[in-house]
Amino acid sequence: MSMTKANDNKLDLERPASLDNSSLDDSDFNRDEWLRAQGEKNPFYVHDLTWTPAEEKEIVRTFDFRVLTWIALMFLFMQLDRGNMGNALTDNFMEDLNISLNTVNLGSTIFTLTFCLFEIPSNVIIVRAGPQRWIPFLMVLWGLATASQFFLKDKVTFLICRALVGMFEAGYIPGIALYLTSYYKRSEMAVRLSIFWSTLAVANSIAGVLAYGILHMRGVAGKAGWRWLFLFEGLATVVIGLMSFLMLPGGPTATKGFFRHNGYLTPRQEQIAMTRLIRDDPTKADTRKKSVSKKHFFKALLSPKIWPNILIGFFGLLPFSPLTILSPLIIKNLNLGVPALVSNLLVIPGYVISLSVMTLVSWSSDRHNERAFHGALASTYYAICILALATLPADANKFMLYFALIFAMGGQTCWHPVNAAWIAGNTAPVGKRSIALAMYIISVNACDMVSVNLFRDEDAPRFYTGFFILFGALVFTIVLFIFQRYHLMYVNRKREEKTKDWTAEDWQHYNDTTKDEGDDHLSFRYSY
């Protein structure tokens, strides 16, 4: 994207929404006047405003500290609630409820089904209600649903609780991704989403430590340790959710009240914050809360430029849930000579590797403004690790199997922030973007309904069949990354060929008569 860089606050007068990896030159397109017209929709936009690189960096650091860190904390507690089932399995959870692993898989499927069914409705509401209100509300509800698992009695109550947790968690992740686009430029999003998702690795590491301590409470008040695990982590989520009503501002210029007591942004900083966003993506000029239109819904749903990224999410993250849920159980079955509960601690190195790889890939992707090759190379690493788990013989050294599992866990979400940032940066306006991000998170979670059922009781303890299927899915993911790159290059080239001879009058006539908007506008260039 030919975006305004952090060290360059001058207007790019060539075209709106252009991209760094696009070498197009519509010299007759008067971007200055077009941008001025778009900016008039926002009272904080100042067309001729200039600022120093130090001022912009200070604003971005403020957003990182005040907004991103709290969002990351919220996600940490979400991951604790989503991942504690894997820890509970090491504490005779199935025996206490008289259920099988297949029933646990059914619970995961029901969780995912309700999560996916309520994803788009939740994202429609979030555009209208505002993420600063809707997201904390959801968090309180799923925290209560998680805590209610303290009272599980049998298979039926287990499945009902999993359905409720899935329903209330729906909308949170795409809502957060959409929320972050109101603070950060497109060239800043992959790293911020990486920081956001890095709390997944932190949460999973903390989860092992917490589980090790809390599960030792088995027998307290006559209750199993896993019951206390659900109760404590659920109630902690409720507390963070209630605090989030106070902590989340409505946007970069909606920072009065509790958040403003130490001087969040000065009036000049508010102008810089909004102007830099609009110069990067003029569709962000209109910040009014409005309903997602049917037009934007179907534009996102039927866009051939979005679906390759959606399929990347589905096939590329198939291994995530099995590794997250079953890794403590797989390690327990390796008989490494440690107590069963210690298996919750032995997964922590995998999450440390995951955090490191994901951060490196996302940083490099933003720095070089390149998405496809970064995703393909990261998926290749992931595929090699999964292949090792699928091919190591049954009599292989158990410590070799353990390290293969740990390095496979290290690849779980290594390209996930890159793909999400790719979708967010290539989709406009905000209504269409909200649906596209919801579709992506649906695909990421819908794959759980397939993936967890690849690991069956009869295939334990090595699950060869499941790992071979996961390897094939990752190979297909690599193909999708490469296809999407050249697909978007082709679209950009066709738009350039169509408009290369247009004069300023041609552009004016097009803007006056077209119904194209956002990324469908012929001046838009896709990143790849």
Side-chain angles (χ1 to χ4, degrees):
M1 290 177 261
S2 177
M3 302 180 218
T4 305
K5 301 293 182 184
N7 59 354
D8 181 7
N9 59 43
K10 297 179 181 179
L11 285 173
D12 173 4
L13 300 181
E14 292 183 2
R15 77 177 65 76
S18 58
L19 306 174
D20 280 343
N21 51 16
S22 173
S23 58
L24 310 179
D25 182 18
D26 297 332
S27 56
D28 286 325
F29 181 70
N30 193 337
R31 186 178 194 271
D32 186 50
E33 292 304 317
W34 184 86
L35 187 59
R36 186 189 299 273
Q38 296 298 309
E40 288 177 354
K41 299 176 182 178
N42 191 289
F44 292 92
Y45 175 77
V46 180
H47 187 70
D48 298 320
L49 184 67
T50 60
W51 57 85
T52 66
E55 286 181 295
E56 184 169 19
K57 289 179 181 178
E58 181 181 359
I59 292 171
V60 173
R61 282 197 299 268
T62 300
F63 292 156
D64 289 342
F65 178 72
R66 296 284 189 119
V67 178
L68 187 61
T69 53
W70 188 260
I71 286 174
L73 180 66
M74 295 171 70
F75 190 52
L76 184 148
F77 278 87
M78 180 184 185
Q79 286 306 126
L80 288 178
D81 291 343
R82 297 188 75 178
N84 51 23
M85 183 56 64
N87 302 123
L89 291 176
T90 65
D91 188 42
N92 296 320
F93 177 81
M94 293 185 289
E95 292 81 359
D96 289 344
L97 294 181
N98 193 28
I99 60 176
S100 67
L101 179 59
N102 291 343
T103 300
V104 174
N105 289 340
L106 177 60
S108 296
T109 301
I110 290 175
F111 166 89
T112 303
L113 183 62
T114 56
F115 188 98
C116 294
L117 286 176
F118 288 91
E119 192 77 63
I120 288 180
S122 183
N123 250 40
V124 170
I125 294 173
I126 204 171
V127 173
R128 183 66 178 174
Q132 76 278 12
R133 300 184 186 94
W134 185 244
I135 291 174
F137 177 68
L138 291 177
M139 193 171 188
V140 171
L141 291 181
W142 89 61
L144 291 173
T146 298
S148 69
Q149 293 175 111
F150 178 86
F151 304 102
L152 292 180
K153 294 182 178 180
D154 50 27
K155 176 180 178 179
V156 174
T157 54
F158 165 68
L159 296 178
I160 290 174
C161 282
R162 299 313 294 169
L164 290 174
V165 174
M167 180 174 68
F168 295 139
E169 288 187 358
Y172 173 77
I173 296 176
I176 287 295
L178 182 67
Y179 182 54
L180 289 177
T181 63
S182 66
Y183 291 93
Y184 297 104
K185 298 191 298 187
R186 291 172 294 179
S187 59
E188 299 163 346
M189 278 294 293
V191 167
R192 270 70 196 184
L193 288 174
S194 172
I195 294 171
F196 171 66
W197 267 301
S198 70
T199 55
L200 187 152
V202 175
N204 288 330
S205 301
I206 293 174
V209 177
L210 290 176
Y212 180 76
I214 297 174
L215 293 179
H216 275 92
M217 293 180 64
R218 172 172 282 270
V220 174
K223 302 297 182 181
W226 58 263
R227 294 186 186 274
W228 295 112
L229 181 68
F230 287 131
L231 181 66
F232 291 158
E233 293 186 352
L235 292 180
T237 298
V238 172
V239 172
I240 296 297
L242 292 173
M243 293 177 63
S244 297
F245 280 107
L246 298 175
M247 298 300 292
L248 289 184
T253 59
T255 54
K256 291 181 171 60
F258 180 83
F259 231 117
R260 192 68 178 261
H261 71 287
N262 283 327
Y264 181 29
L265 290 182
T266 66
R268 172 173 168 79
Q269 286 177 322
E270 289 179 338
Q271 291 177 338
I272 296 173
M274 208 66 237
T275 301
R276 77 186 201 101
L277 284 179
I278 294 172
R279 289 180 185 176
D280 175 61
D281 182 355
T283 65
K284 294 179 182 179
D286 189 355
T287 58
R288 294 171 298 174
K289 295 182 176 67
K290 57 182 109 173
S291 300
V292 176
S293 67
K294 290 183 180 179
K295 174 185 176 181
H296 291 159
F297 174 83
F298 285 106
K299 282 281 189 180
L301 188 64
L302 302 177
S303 174
K305 295 179 284 292
I306 293 175
W307 273 101
N309 293 99
I310 304 300
L311 294 176
I312 285 171
F314 182 86
F315 289 100
L317 290 177
L318 272 177
F320 177 75
S321 280
L323 289 179
T324 300
I325 295 175
L326 298 178
S327 54
L329 188 62
I330 293 173
I331 291 174
K332 177 183 176 182
N333 291 334
L334 287 177
N335 296 317
L336 296 176
V338 297
L341 293 183
V342 176
S343 58
N344 290 295
L345 301 177
L346 293 179
V347 301
I348 292 177
Y351 296 121
V352 174
I353 296 173
S354 175
L355 172 61
S356 303
V357 175
M358 180 175 62
T359 301
L360 177 62
V361 171
S362 299
W363 173 82
S364 178
S365 176
D366 269 357
R367 180 175 179 82
H368 298 287
N369 198 24
E370 198 286 327
R371 306 302 190 200
F373 287 146
H374 281 80
L377 289 173
S379 297
T380 300
Y381 160 75
Y382 200 4
I384 292 172
C385 295
I386 294 295
L387 182 62
L389 290 172
T391 56
L392 284 172
D395 59 351
N397 182 281
K398 56 188 177 183
F399 291 102
M400 184 182 297
L401 291 171
Y402 167 72
F403 283 111
L405 176 63
I406 291 303
F407 280 99
M409 293 173 65
Q412 286 184 104
T413 56
C414 52
W415 51 259
H416 191 20
V418 171
N419 198 37
W422 200 4
I423 294 172
N426 275 350
T427 313
V430 65
K432 183 178 178 181
R433 184 182 298 126
S434 69
I435 299 301
L437 288 169
M439 289 167 57
Y440 177 59
I441 300 302
I442 286 174
S443 74
V444 166
N445 286 273
C447 73
D448 292 352
M449 291 187 287
V450 176
S451 62
V452 296
N453 289 291
L454 296 176
F455 291 70
R456 311 294 294 178
D457 282 331
E458 55 270 21
D459 201 27
R462 288 294 307 279
F463 304 106
Y464 284 112
T465 302
F467 281 122
F468 268 115
I469 294 174
L470 297 182
F471 172 72
L474 290 174
V475 171
F476 185 54
T477 301
I478 296 169
V479 173
L480 285 170
F481 268 115
I482 302 303
F483 166 80
Q484 181 68 333
R485 175 183 175 86
Y486 290 101
H487 171 217
L488 295 178
M489 288 175 66
Y490 172 78
V491 173
N492 284 351
R493 186 170 66 252
K494 296 298 289 185
R495 291 184 178 184
E496 164 63 4
E497 290 174 355
K498 184 173 183 177
T499 62
K500 65 181 180 180
D501 296 324
W502 283 15
T503 64
E505 289 75 18
D506 293 327
W507 277 109
Q508 186 64 49
H509 176 73
Y510 170 71
N511 289 328
D512 290 341
T513 59
T514 187
K515 293 183 179 180
D516 296 340
E517 61 176 337
D519 65 276
D520 291 321
H521 197 277
L522 288 179
S523 62
F524 191 96
R525 299 296 181 265
Y526 293 98
S527 64
Y528 45 79

